[in-house]
Amino acid sequence: MAYCGYVFKLNKENVAAHPNADKLNIIKIYDTQCIVSKDGYDVGQLYVFFPEGGQLSEAYCTANDLVRRPGGKGYLDPAKRNVKTIKLRGEVSEGLIMPLSSLSVFGDITQLRENDTIDVFNGKEICRKYVPRRNTSSAAPTSKKKKKQNKSTKLAYVFPEHIDTPQFKFFVSQFHEGDLISISEKLEGTSGRSAYLPCSKPANFIQRLLHIKPKTAYRYFCGSRRVTVAGEKEEFEVKADGFYGSNDFRLEIHKRLCPHLRKNQEVYYEIVGWPRPGVAPLMGEVDTTCLNDKVFTKKYGKKMIFHYGCEVGTYDFYIYRITEMDDDGDVVVEYSTDQIKEWCKKHGFKMVPILYRSFLGENAEEEITFLAQQYSDGESTLAPHWREGCVIRRDNNAGKYDVFKHKNDKYKIMKGLFVENLQNADDIAPDVLEEL
């Protein structure tokens, strides 16, 4: 479930008066706070919390008068219906809290319990992850003519995609004493992956008839978060154009990695900076004035670019995950933080900056909440601009591995406004949209 609403019971200790508004309250939930009216939110009752980053369904918004319209009370954009982080009277609000009765038009709400999650209720969609729409035109003109592809040349292979990283604040209770924690800086860029994988052509008629398995050969593959960029036709024949007008920057990084990859090994990395000279940076720029923080804007300027020390027109990449798979594409080895660090050092590559590494103590939930807040805030360790947040990796005693992301408030406000101001998000790549 990529995005969902959370059913929770409102407790007295979770409610506080807004310091700058007499008619507003602040409700704290899941290490998050939301601003609500003082009226209509009663202690002991169940409510639904929709965190930032989601899109409410048209049916749900219509049933609860949530979108802007003449004579209505709604405030959500009728086309987007997205929930985002905002700042109201000096306080951050990171989502939307609705009464449980807002779901009654869709089914029997008496079956819902505290801690239930909702994206679909009684077969009706309630919410989903918000992805800004893109125009059909790409960042660079491409030919409309499509070459006919010979189906017999298609390769059979398994090239695992990037895993979705859940938000830390909804999983705090899963951290326990003895868990090994690694916290790294979350970088603002575009995803990349390179692998050396077995592949084969589909069986021909004779092979199918005689049950002969096609020959397998190894080939290098390169991809973004979801798309295979090189390897399907020829190993280093890159797909033309791409979202950034060219995939050459991906191919250059991929070629540097290939000599160091062994069979069934896949390396995941974040690319930062600019795809090439003369074009916009990979993640555009953000407006710092939306924070209403004069000191912050004076230090970083009205416009801020997440460049991580790259010179204008150049790029760099940082490795954050390495796996080894069996021939079926199932991960059998997940490199630890120390193993990734050792591999990068041995082969001359950069790893994402590690900010903290230790075992959790007796008060695990309290400790990890403090650490997440501490290391998500502040200036980047790679350049004099603000940090996006942090990534928390947990290795527990049972050998289980989990990863969570935690973004700071300033970043979310700046990026939320950034996305909101784009014309159909043309300036953000499809694989990046999923992270916003």
Side-chain angles (χ1 to χ4, degrees):
M1 188 183 297
Y3 177 89
C4 62
Y6 298 83
V7 178
F8 74 99
K9 180 181 289 187
L10 184 58
N11 298 317
K12 185 177 181 180
E13 57 269 24
N14 299 127
V15 184
H18 193 298
N20 305 313
D22 295 336
K23 296 183 179 180
L24 299 176
N25 275 339
I26 296 175
I27 294 178
K28 293 185 179 291
I29 175 176
Y30 298 116
D31 194 33
T32 297
Q33 68 176 35
C34 284
I35 298 175
V36 300
S37 169
K38 277 194 173 180
D39 300 325
Y41 293 88
D42 300 321
V43 171
Q45 299 300 310
L46 293 179
Y47 293 88
V48 185
F49 168 57
F50 295 102
E52 55 90 19
Q55 180 183 50
L56 304 183
S57 70
E58 186 173 0
Y60 182 79
C61 287
T62 300
N64 293 282
D65 196 17
L66 292 176
V67 299
R68 294 193 297 267
R69 64 178 180 83
K73 298 180 180 179
Y75 59 90
L76 296 181
D77 185 307
K80 301 174 182 177
R81 308 185 306 279
N82 58 318
V83 182
K84 63 177 185 176
T85 297
I86 62 173
K87 204 168 188 180
L88 188 58
R89 296 288 185 90
E91 290 289 336
V92 169
S93 184
E94 301 172 273
L96 175 67
I97 294 178
M98 296 290 293
L100 195 67
S101 59
S102 65
L103 296 167
S104 60
V105 68
F106 302 100
D108 181 12
I109 61 174
T110 60
Q111 63 180 287
L112 294 172
R113 298 290 183 268
E114 185 177 5
N115 297 322
D116 281 351
T117 57
I118 295 175
D119 60 344
V120 174
F121 183 53
N122 196 30
K124 305 292 184 181
E125 184 183 57
I126 303 300
C127 61
R128 64 171 67 178
K129 189 180 183 74
Y130 173 61
V131 178
R133 294 178 300 169
R134 297 175 55 234
N135 286 337
T136 54
S137 59
S138 62
T142 58
S143 173
K144 293 183 179 180
K145 295 182 180 180
K146 293 184 178 180
K147 295 181 180 180
K148 291 184 178 180
Q149 189 176 24
N150 185 351
K151 293 184 178 180
S152 64
T153 63
K154 286 186 176 180
L155 294 175
Y157 64 94
V158 179
F159 187 19
E161 299 177 351
H162 282 260
I163 59 174
D164 290 327
T165 310
Q167 294 190 53
F168 159 76
K169 58 191 175 186
F170 303 122
F171 296 89
V172 177
S173 62
Q174 294 188 11
F175 288 81
H176 305 287
E177 181 180 1
D179 288 349
L180 176 59
I181 301 300
S182 301
I183 301 179
S184 59
E185 181 177 345
K186 191 175 191 311
L187 305 184
E188 169 80 327
T190 184
S191 302
R193 54 198 167 109
S194 296
Y196 190 36
L197 305 172
C199 61
S200 62
K201 293 182 179 180
N204 58 35
F205 174 75
I206 298 298
Q207 290 172 324
R208 293 196 301 271
L209 182 66
L210 300 178
H211 302 287
I212 299 174
K213 187 176 181 179
K215 291 183 179 180
T216 298
Y218 275 81
R219 176 174 287 193
Y220 293 103
F221 288 87
C222 171
S224 61
R225 173 176 287 271
R226 304 292 183 201
V227 179
T228 300
V229 173
E232 288 184 318
K233 294 182 179 179
E234 298 296 336
E235 279 188 308
F236 300 112
E237 181 181 344
V238 70
K239 287 186 176 179
D241 301 318
F243 181 86
Y244 296 104
S246 169
N247 279 314
D248 289 348
F249 72 105
R250 294 187 185 277
L251 187 61
E252 188 274 333
I253 293 172
H254 178 58
K255 285 183 176 179
R256 288 167 59 186
L257 285 166
C258 285
H260 307 281
L261 297 176
R262 58 202 220 185
K263 289 182 177 180
N264 294 337
Q265 188 177 50
E266 183 167 3
V267 174
Y268 300 82
Y269 44 92
E270 192 76 5
I271 308 171
V272 298
W274 286 257
R276 63 187 183 280
V279 299
L282 290 168
M283 282 306 299
E285 60 183 17
V286 293
D287 183 357
T288 66
T289 62
C290 67
L291 297 172
N292 295 318
D293 186 333
K294 293 182 180 180
V295 175
F296 187 92
T297 298
K298 182 178 180 180
K299 182 176 182 179
Y300 296 107
K302 292 183 178 181
K303 302 293 182 182
M304 185 166 62
I305 295 174
F306 296 90
H307 56 77
Y308 298 100
C310 294
E311 296 291 334
V312 176
T314 67
Y315 54 83
D316 205 345
F317 71 101
Y318 293 82
I319 294 170
Y320 62 84
R321 186 187 182 206
I322 302 176
T323 62
E324 292 185 15
M325 300 162 284
D326 58 23
D327 290 343
D328 295 323
D330 295 322
V331 174
V332 293
V333 176
E334 183 77 53
Y335 279 39
S336 67
T337 300
D338 288 338
Q339 288 173 322
I340 298 173
K341 184 178 181 180
E342 182 180 347
W343 190 92
C344 289
K345 182 178 180 180
K346 177 181 178 180
H347 299 290
F349 297 111
K350 297 176 182 178
M351 182 182 178
V352 292
I354 300 299
L355 309 175
Y356 177 89
R357 183 166 167 79
S358 187
F359 292 94
L360 289 179
E362 183 178 354
N363 300 317
E365 291 186 26
E366 182 179 339
E367 183 180 356
I368 191 60
T369 299
F370 173 80
L371 291 171
Q373 187 61 44
Q374 178 182 356
Y375 289 106
S376 67
D377 264 329
E379 196 170 83
S380 170
T381 60
L382 298 174
H385 57 66
W386 199 245
R387 189 179 298 174
E388 176 184 355
C390 66
V391 175
I392 303 164
R393 170 173 173 149
R394 178 189 66 153
D395 295 274
N396 64 19
N397 294 328
K400 186 178 180 182
Y401 149 82
D402 290 304
V403 170
F404 307 91
K405 61 187 176 185
H406 191 59
K407 302 179 183 181
N408 63 70
D409 292 341
K410 283 186 171 66
Y411 171 85
K412 287 189 288 187
I413 294 172
M414 289 187 293
K415 186 56 66 174
L417 186 62
F418 171 48
V419 172
E420 193 70 15
N421 285 342
L422 288 177
Q423 296 298 319
N424 294 328
D426 287 331
D427 297 331
I428 306 183
D431 64 312
V432 176
L433 291 176
E434 300 180 15
E435 283 292 320
L436 298 180

